Amino acid sequence: MKILRTILPLAALASAALLQADEEAGPVEKLVFETEWKGERIELPPPFAPEMKLEGIEEIRFAPGMFEPESDSFFSYVFVFAVPGDTELSKEVIQKETLAYYRGLAASVLKGRGKEVDTTKFKFTLEKSDKAVAVPASVGDKSSVTEYRGKLDWIEPFATAKPQVLHFEIQAWSDPDTKRGYLFVGTSPKEIGDSAAIWKEMRKIRSEFKVEAGAAK
């Protein structure tokens, strides 16, 4: 087990169990992100969100300004949930699990900073998109990909401890080869749009994402 390697001292604000990676317990496939963004792998459900029901792994890639409030890429990142193929990934499940994830994350980080937060006030809305855009090129059946857009009202715990609105673009699909389900999530305080540089970059990362067979390294 090892702690998430971030380039910022803010990571020390979380408890030692907050963002852990269990490399030996990962799936046999490798999740490939064509980007220089740094990140890590953690096990699902993560220690900070015990209310989650999804099991599997999460692979994360952080934008360079992830923990810098003055940056155009503040709290912008992509991540993938890889779960067993028989896992239901409906709109209702995604909405519930995402909310549980961020409620747990905020509560755990802020507790480590000696602060309390009422996570019951967090709200996450999710709507199905008319079509999926920038679908990973490696997905064989593009029509099998379902896209959702969401909005989270929460307290950003790492840098500001202030209210924040995060926008989400989520794609869900199943892979018959790996017998797994996947959620590819992009999120940012920036509103979703073709003109936003951070969304262009996250969509590019998503379009180039692929799953490779073989032991994950």
Short mmCIF file of all heavy atoms in Angstrom, two decimals, residues 37 63 72-79 133-134 147-151 165-171 184-207:
data_model
loop_
_atom_site.label_atom_id
_atom_site.label_comp_id
_atom_site.label_asym_id
_atom_site.label_seq_id
_atom_site.Cartn_x
_atom_site.Cartn_y
_atom_site.Cartn_z
N TRP A 37 -0.48 14.10 -17.24
CA TRP A 37 -1.08 14.39 -15.95
C TRP A 37 -0.74 13.28 -14.97
O TRP A 37 -0.78 12.09 -15.31
CB TRP A 37 -2.59 14.51 -16.07
CG TRP A 37 -3.08 15.72 -16.80
CD1 TRP A 37 -2.33 16.65 -17.46
CD2 TRP A 37 -4.44 16.13 -16.94
NE1 TRP A 37 -3.13 17.62 -18.00
CE2 TRP A 37 -4.43 17.33 -17.69
CE3 TRP A 37 -5.65 15.61 -16.49
CZ2 TRP A 37 -5.61 18.01 -18.02
CZ3 TRP A 37 -6.83 16.27 -16.81
CH2 TRP A 37 -6.80 17.47 -17.57
N ALA A 63 -5.26 17.32 -13.43
CA ALA A 63 -4.74 18.46 -14.20
C ALA A 63 -3.62 19.12 -13.39
O ALA A 63 -3.61 19.06 -12.16
CB ALA A 63 -5.85 19.46 -14.49
N ASP A 72 -6.44 27.89 -13.88
CA ASP A 72 -7.58 27.63 -14.77
C ASP A 72 -7.99 26.16 -14.74
O ASP A 72 -9.07 25.82 -15.21
CB ASP A 72 -7.24 28.03 -16.20
CG ASP A 72 -7.23 29.54 -16.40
OD1 ASP A 72 -7.85 30.25 -15.57
OD2 ASP A 72 -6.61 30.01 -17.37
N SER A 73 -7.13 25.30 -14.20
CA SER A 73 -7.46 23.88 -14.12
C SER A 73 -7.66 23.41 -12.68
O SER A 73 -7.53 22.23 -12.37
CB SER A 73 -6.38 23.03 -14.81
OG SER A 73 -5.12 23.18 -14.19
N PHE A 74 -7.97 24.37 -11.80
CA PHE A 74 -8.22 24.03 -10.40
C PHE A 74 -9.32 22.99 -10.28
O PHE A 74 -10.37 23.07 -10.92
CB PHE A 74 -8.62 25.28 -9.62
CG PHE A 74 -9.01 25.02 -8.18
CD1 PHE A 74 -8.18 24.33 -7.33
CD2 PHE A 74 -10.23 25.49 -7.69
CE1 PHE A 74 -8.53 24.10 -6.00
CE2 PHE A 74 -10.59 25.27 -6.37
CZ PHE A 74 -9.75 24.57 -5.52
N PHE A 75 -9.08 21.98 -9.49
CA PHE A 75 -9.97 20.87 -9.22
C PHE A 75 -10.57 20.25 -10.50
O PHE A 75 -11.75 19.87 -10.55
CB PHE A 75 -11.08 21.24 -8.25
CG PHE A 75 -11.27 20.18 -7.19
CD1 PHE A 75 -10.59 20.27 -5.98
CD2 PHE A 75 -12.06 19.08 -7.42
CE1 PHE A 75 -10.71 19.28 -5.03
CE2 PHE A 75 -12.20 18.08 -6.47
CZ PHE A 75 -11.52 18.17 -5.27
N SER A 76 -9.74 20.18 -11.52
CA SER A 76 -10.14 19.55 -12.78
C SER A 76 -9.34 18.26 -12.95
O SER A 76 -8.11 18.26 -12.82
CB SER A 76 -9.86 20.48 -13.96
OG SER A 76 -10.61 21.68 -13.84
N TYR A 77 -10.05 17.17 -13.20
CA TYR A 77 -9.36 15.90 -13.35
C TYR A 77 -10.27 14.88 -14.02
O TYR A 77 -11.48 15.10 -14.19
CB TYR A 77 -8.86 15.37 -12.01
CG TYR A 77 -9.89 15.07 -10.95
CD1 TYR A 77 -10.08 13.77 -10.50
CD2 TYR A 77 -10.65 16.06 -10.34
CE1 TYR A 77 -10.99 13.46 -9.49
CE2 TYR A 77 -11.55 15.78 -9.33
CZ TYR A 77 -11.73 14.47 -8.91
OH TYR A 77 -12.63 14.19 -7.92
N VAL A 78 -9.68 13.77 -14.43
CA VAL A 78 -10.43 12.67 -15.01
C VAL A 78 -10.15 11.42 -14.19
O VAL A 78 -9.08 11.28 -13.59
CB VAL A 78 -10.07 12.42 -16.49
CG1 VAL A 78 -10.39 13.64 -17.35
CG2 VAL A 78 -8.59 12.04 -16.64
N PHE A 79 -11.13 10.54 -14.15
CA PHE A 79 -10.90 9.26 -13.51
C PHE A 79 -11.81 8.20 -14.11
O PHE A 79 -12.83 8.51 -14.74
CB PHE A 79 -11.10 9.34 -11.98
CG PHE A 79 -12.47 9.77 -11.52
CD1 PHE A 79 -13.45 8.83 -11.26
CD2 PHE A 79 -12.74 11.11 -11.30
CE1 PHE A 79 -14.71 9.22 -10.80
CE2 PHE A 79 -13.99 11.52 -10.83
CZ PHE A 79 -14.98 10.57 -10.58
N VAL A 133 -20.11 12.13 -26.84
CA VAL A 133 -19.09 12.77 -27.66
C VAL A 133 -17.71 12.36 -27.18
O VAL A 133 -17.53 12.01 -26.01
CB VAL A 133 -19.21 14.31 -27.62
CG1 VAL A 133 -20.57 14.74 -28.16
CG2 VAL A 133 -19.01 14.84 -26.21
N ALA A 134 -16.74 12.38 -28.08
CA ALA A 134 -15.36 12.03 -27.73
C ALA A 134 -15.29 10.69 -27.01
O ALA A 134 -14.62 10.52 -25.99
CB ALA A 134 -14.70 13.13 -26.89
N GLU A 147 -23.84 8.58 -22.16
CA GLU A 147 -23.22 9.77 -21.56
C GLU A 147 -24.21 10.50 -20.67
O GLU A 147 -25.40 10.61 -20.99
CB GLU A 147 -22.72 10.71 -22.66
CG GLU A 147 -22.01 11.95 -22.11
CD GLU A 147 -21.42 12.81 -23.21
OE1 GLU A 147 -20.44 12.37 -23.85
OE2 GLU A 147 -21.94 13.92 -23.45
N TYR A 148 -23.68 11.01 -19.56
CA TYR A 148 -24.47 11.81 -18.62
C TYR A 148 -23.71 13.11 -18.32
O TYR A 148 -22.49 13.16 -18.38
CB TYR A 148 -24.69 11.06 -17.31
CG TYR A 148 -25.39 9.74 -17.46
CD1 TYR A 148 -24.66 8.56 -17.62
CD2 TYR A 148 -26.78 9.66 -17.41
CE1 TYR A 148 -25.29 7.34 -17.74
CE2 TYR A 148 -27.42 8.43 -17.54
CZ TYR A 148 -26.67 7.28 -17.70
OH TYR A 148 -27.31 6.07 -17.82
N ARG A 149 -24.47 14.13 -17.98
CA ARG A 149 -23.88 15.37 -17.49
C ARG A 149 -24.47 15.67 -16.12
O ARG A 149 -25.67 15.51 -15.91
CB ARG A 149 -24.13 16.53 -18.45
CG ARG A 149 -23.34 16.40 -19.74
CD ARG A 149 -23.43 17.63 -20.59
NE ARG A 149 -22.61 17.51 -21.80
CZ ARG A 149 -22.43 18.48 -22.68
NH1 ARG A 149 -23.01 19.67 -22.49
NH2 ARG A 149 -21.67 18.29 -23.74
N GLY A 150 -23.60 16.08 -15.21
CA GLY A 150 -24.05 16.30 -13.84
C GLY A 150 -23.49 17.57 -13.23
O GLY A 150 -22.59 18.21 -13.79
N LYS A 151 -24.03 17.92 -12.08
CA LYS A 151 -23.56 19.10 -11.34
C LYS A 151 -23.60 18.78 -9.86
O LYS A 151 -24.62 18.31 -9.34
CB LYS A 151 -24.43 20.32 -11.65
CG LYS A 151 -23.91 21.60 -11.01
CD LYS A 151 -24.71 22.82 -11.47
CE LYS A 151 -26.08 22.86 -10.85
NZ LYS A 151 -26.77 24.16 -11.11
N VAL A 165 -19.08 24.50 -7.10
CA VAL A 165 -19.92 23.75 -8.03
C VAL A 165 -19.00 23.03 -9.01
O VAL A 165 -18.17 23.66 -9.67
CB VAL A 165 -20.89 24.67 -8.79
CG1 VAL A 165 -21.67 23.85 -9.83
CG2 VAL A 165 -21.86 25.34 -7.84
N LEU A 166 -19.13 21.71 -9.07
CA LEU A 166 -18.37 20.92 -10.03
C LEU A 166 -19.30 20.42 -11.14
O LEU A 166 -20.42 19.98 -10.87
CB LEU A 166 -17.72 19.70 -9.34
CG LEU A 166 -16.50 19.95 -8.46
CD1 LEU A 166 -16.04 18.63 -7.85
CD2 LEU A 166 -15.38 20.60 -9.24
N HIS A 167 -18.81 20.50 -12.37
CA HIS A 167 -19.55 20.00 -13.51
C HIS A 167 -18.96 18.66 -13.95
O HIS A 167 -17.73 18.49 -13.94
CB HIS A 167 -19.52 21.01 -14.66
CG HIS A 167 -20.11 22.34 -14.28
ND1 HIS A 167 -21.46 22.60 -14.36
CD2 HIS A 167 -19.53 23.47 -13.79
CE1 HIS A 167 -21.69 23.83 -13.95
NE2 HIS A 167 -20.54 24.38 -13.59
N PHE A 168 -19.81 17.74 -14.35
CA PHE A 168 -19.38 16.38 -14.68
C PHE A 168 -19.83 15.98 -16.08
O PHE A 168 -20.95 16.28 -16.49
CB PHE A 168 -19.98 15.37 -13.70
CG PHE A 168 -19.41 15.42 -12.32
CD1 PHE A 168 -19.75 16.44 -11.44
CD2 PHE A 168 -18.53 14.44 -11.89
CE1 PHE A 168 -19.22 16.49 -10.16
CE2 PHE A 168 -17.99 14.49 -10.61
CZ PHE A 168 -18.34 15.51 -9.74
N GLU A 169 -18.95 15.28 -16.77
CA GLU A 169 -19.31 14.59 -18.01
C GLU A 169 -18.87 13.15 -17.81
O GLU A 169 -17.69 12.87 -17.59
CB GLU A 169 -18.60 15.22 -19.21
CG GLU A 169 -19.25 14.85 -20.54
CD GLU A 169 -18.74 15.73 -21.67
OE1 GLU A 169 -17.54 15.63 -22.01
OE2 GLU A 169 -19.54 16.52 -22.23
N ILE A 170 -19.84 12.24 -17.84
CA ILE A 170 -19.61 10.84 -17.48
C ILE A 170 -20.04 9.94 -18.63
O ILE A 170 -21.14 10.10 -19.17
CB ILE A 170 -20.40 10.47 -16.21
CG1 ILE A 170 -20.00 11.37 -15.03
CG2 ILE A 170 -20.19 9.00 -15.85
CD1 ILE A 170 -20.87 11.18 -13.81
N GLN A 171 -19.18 9.00 -18.99
CA GLN A 171 -19.55 8.00 -19.98
C GLN A 171 -19.46 6.61 -19.37
O GLN A 171 -18.52 6.30 -18.64
CB GLN A 171 -18.64 8.09 -21.21
CG GLN A 171 -18.88 9.35 -22.02
CD GLN A 171 -18.15 9.38 -23.35
OE1 GLN A 171 -17.36 8.48 -23.67
NE2 GLN A 171 -18.39 10.41 -24.14
N PHE A 184 -16.09 6.56 -17.23
CA PHE A 184 -15.05 7.56 -17.45
C PHE A 184 -15.64 8.91 -17.06
O PHE A 184 -16.62 9.35 -17.64
CB PHE A 184 -14.59 7.58 -18.90
CG PHE A 184 -13.32 8.37 -19.10
CD1 PHE A 184 -12.13 7.75 -19.40
CD2 PHE A 184 -13.31 9.76 -18.99
CE1 PHE A 184 -10.96 8.46 -19.57
CE2 PHE A 184 -12.15 10.50 -19.16
CZ PHE A 184 -10.96 9.83 -19.45
N VAL A 185 -15.01 9.55 -16.08
CA VAL A 185 -15.55 10.78 -15.51
C VAL A 185 -14.58 11.93 -15.71
O VAL A 185 -13.40 11.81 -15.39
CB VAL A 185 -15.83 10.61 -14.00
CG1 VAL A 185 -16.43 11.89 -13.41
CG2 VAL A 185 -16.75 9.41 -13.75
N GLY A 186 -15.07 13.04 -16.22
CA GLY A 186 -14.33 14.29 -16.27
C GLY A 186 -15.07 15.30 -15.43
O GLY A 186 -16.30 15.39 -15.51
N THR A 187 -14.34 16.05 -14.61
CA THR A 187 -15.01 17.03 -13.76
C THR A 187 -14.17 18.28 -13.60
O THR A 187 -12.94 18.23 -13.58
CB THR A 187 -15.34 16.44 -12.37
OG1 THR A 187 -16.08 17.39 -11.61
CG2 THR A 187 -14.09 16.05 -11.61
N SER A 188 -14.85 19.43 -13.48
CA SER A 188 -14.18 20.72 -13.35
C SER A 188 -15.19 21.76 -12.87
O SER A 188 -16.38 21.64 -13.14
CB SER A 188 -13.62 21.16 -14.71
OG SER A 188 -13.08 22.48 -14.63
N PRO A 189 -14.70 22.80 -12.18
CA PRO A 189 -15.58 23.93 -11.86
C PRO A 189 -15.97 24.70 -13.11
O PRO A 189 -16.95 25.45 -13.08
CB PRO A 189 -14.74 24.79 -10.91
CG PRO A 189 -13.65 23.90 -10.42
CD PRO A 189 -13.38 22.95 -11.54
N LYS A 190 -15.19 24.55 -14.18
CA LYS A 190 -15.52 25.22 -15.43
C LYS A 190 -16.75 24.58 -16.05
O LYS A 190 -16.88 23.35 -16.08
CB LYS A 190 -14.35 25.11 -16.43
CG LYS A 190 -13.05 25.73 -15.95
CD LYS A 190 -13.10 27.24 -16.01
CE LYS A 190 -11.74 27.85 -15.71
NZ LYS A 190 -11.77 29.34 -15.70
N GLU A 191 -17.66 25.40 -16.55
CA GLU A 191 -18.85 24.85 -17.19
C GLU A 191 -18.48 24.10 -18.45
O GLU A 191 -17.54 24.47 -19.16
CB GLU A 191 -19.84 25.97 -17.50
CG GLU A 191 -20.48 26.58 -16.27
CD GLU A 191 -21.69 27.44 -16.61
OE1 GLU A 191 -22.24 27.28 -17.72
OE2 GLU A 191 -22.08 28.25 -15.78
N ILE A 192 -19.20 23.04 -18.72
CA ILE A 192 -18.93 22.21 -19.89
C ILE A 192 -19.20 23.00 -21.16
O ILE A 192 -20.24 23.65 -21.29
CB ILE A 192 -19.80 20.94 -19.87
CG1 ILE A 192 -19.47 20.10 -18.63
CG2 ILE A 192 -19.59 20.12 -21.13
CD1 ILE A 192 -20.40 18.93 -18.43
N GLY A 193 -18.27 22.94 -22.09
CA GLY A 193 -18.45 23.64 -23.35
C GLY A 193 -17.27 23.42 -24.26
O GLY A 193 -16.15 23.16 -23.81
N ASP A 194 -17.51 23.53 -25.56
CA ASP A 194 -16.45 23.29 -26.54
C ASP A 194 -15.36 24.35 -26.49
O ASP A 194 -14.24 24.13 -26.94
CB ASP A 194 -17.04 23.23 -27.95
CG ASP A 194 -17.99 22.06 -28.14
OD1 ASP A 194 -17.80 21.04 -27.44
OD2 ASP A 194 -18.90 22.14 -28.98
N SER A 195 -15.67 25.52 -25.93
CA SER A 195 -14.69 26.60 -25.92
C SER A 195 -13.78 26.57 -24.68
O SER A 195 -12.78 27.28 -24.64
CB SER A 195 -15.41 27.96 -25.96
OG SER A 195 -16.25 28.12 -24.83
N ALA A 196 -14.12 25.76 -23.69
CA ALA A 196 -13.32 25.70 -22.46
C ALA A 196 -12.10 24.82 -22.69
O ALA A 196 -12.23 23.63 -23.01
CB ALA A 196 -14.16 25.16 -21.32
N ALA A 197 -10.92 25.37 -22.49
CA ALA A 197 -9.68 24.64 -22.76
C ALA A 197 -9.57 23.36 -21.93
O ALA A 197 -9.13 22.32 -22.44
CB ALA A 197 -8.47 25.54 -22.50
N ILE A 198 -9.99 23.43 -20.68
CA ILE A 198 -9.85 22.25 -19.82
C ILE A 198 -10.75 21.12 -20.29
O ILE A 198 -10.37 19.93 -20.23
CB ILE A 198 -10.12 22.60 -18.34
CG1 ILE A 198 -9.74 21.43 -17.43
CG2 ILE A 198 -11.57 23.01 -18.13
CD1 ILE A 198 -8.28 21.04 -17.47
N TRP A 199 -11.93 21.46 -20.80
CA TRP A 199 -12.81 20.42 -21.30
C TRP A 199 -12.32 19.85 -22.62
O TRP A 199 -12.49 18.65 -22.89
CB TRP A 199 -14.25 20.93 -21.41
CG TRP A 199 -14.92 20.95 -20.09
CD1 TRP A 199 -15.18 22.05 -19.30
CD2 TRP A 199 -15.38 19.83 -19.33
NE1 TRP A 199 -15.78 21.67 -18.12
CE2 TRP A 199 -15.91 20.32 -18.11
CE3 TRP A 199 -15.40 18.45 -19.58
CZ2 TRP A 199 -16.46 19.47 -17.14
CZ3 TRP A 199 -15.94 17.61 -18.61
CH2 TRP A 199 -16.46 18.12 -17.41
N LYS A 200 -11.69 20.67 -23.43
CA LYS A 200 -11.07 20.15 -24.65
C LYS A 200 -10.01 19.13 -24.31
O LYS A 200 -9.91 18.07 -24.94
CB LYS A 200 -10.46 21.30 -25.46
CG LYS A 200 -11.45 22.20 -26.15
CD LYS A 200 -10.72 23.27 -26.96
CE LYS A 200 -11.69 24.18 -27.70
NZ LYS A 200 -10.98 25.23 -28.48
N GLU A 201 -9.20 19.45 -23.29
CA GLU A 201 -8.12 18.55 -22.90
C GLU A 201 -8.67 17.26 -22.29
O GLU A 201 -8.20 16.16 -22.60
CB GLU A 201 -7.20 19.25 -21.91
CG GLU A 201 -6.02 18.42 -21.44
CD GLU A 201 -5.03 18.11 -22.55
OE1 GLU A 201 -5.07 18.80 -23.60
OE2 GLU A 201 -4.21 17.19 -22.37
N MET A 202 -9.67 17.37 -21.42
CA MET A 202 -10.22 16.17 -20.80
C MET A 202 -10.92 15.28 -21.81
O MET A 202 -10.84 14.05 -21.73
CB MET A 202 -11.16 16.56 -19.65
CG MET A 202 -10.43 17.15 -18.44
SD MET A 202 -11.43 17.25 -16.92
CE MET A 202 -12.66 18.47 -17.41
N ARG A 203 -11.60 15.88 -22.79
CA ARG A 203 -12.23 15.08 -23.83
C ARG A 203 -11.19 14.40 -24.71
O ARG A 203 -11.39 13.27 -25.17
CB ARG A 203 -13.17 15.95 -24.67
CG ARG A 203 -14.46 16.31 -23.94
CD ARG A 203 -15.30 17.27 -24.74
NE ARG A 203 -16.62 17.46 -24.15
CZ ARG A 203 -17.54 18.31 -24.62
NH1 ARG A 203 -17.25 19.06 -25.68
NH2 ARG A 203 -18.71 18.42 -24.02
N LYS A 204 -10.09 15.08 -24.95
CA LYS A 204 -9.01 14.47 -25.72
C LYS A 204 -8.45 13.26 -24.98
O LYS A 204 -8.21 12.19 -25.58
CB LYS A 204 -7.90 15.48 -25.99
CG LYS A 204 -6.71 14.95 -26.79
CD LYS A 204 -5.71 16.06 -27.05
CE LYS A 204 -4.55 15.55 -27.91
NZ LYS A 204 -3.71 14.56 -27.19
N ILE A 205 -8.23 13.42 -23.68
CA ILE A 205 -7.75 12.31 -22.87
C ILE A 205 -8.74 11.14 -22.93
O ILE A 205 -8.34 9.97 -23.06
CB ILE A 205 -7.51 12.76 -21.42
CG1 ILE A 205 -6.36 13.77 -21.35
CG2 ILE A 205 -7.22 11.56 -20.51
CD1 ILE A 205 -6.19 14.43 -20.00
N ARG A 206 -10.02 11.46 -22.84
CA ARG A 206 -11.04 10.41 -22.89
C ARG A 206 -11.05 9.71 -24.25
O ARG A 206 -11.13 8.48 -24.32
CB ARG A 206 -12.42 10.99 -22.59
CG ARG A 206 -13.52 9.93 -22.54
CD ARG A 206 -14.83 10.53 -22.10
NE ARG A 206 -15.39 11.44 -23.08
CZ ARG A 206 -16.11 12.51 -22.79
NH1 ARG A 206 -16.34 12.83 -21.53
NH2 ARG A 206 -16.61 13.28 -23.74
N SER A 207 -10.96 10.48 -25.32
CA SER A 207 -11.02 9.88 -26.66
C SER A 207 -9.85 8.95 -26.93
O SER A 207 -9.95 8.02 -27.74
CB SER A 207 -11.08 10.97 -27.73
OG SER A 207 -9.85 11.66 -27.81
#
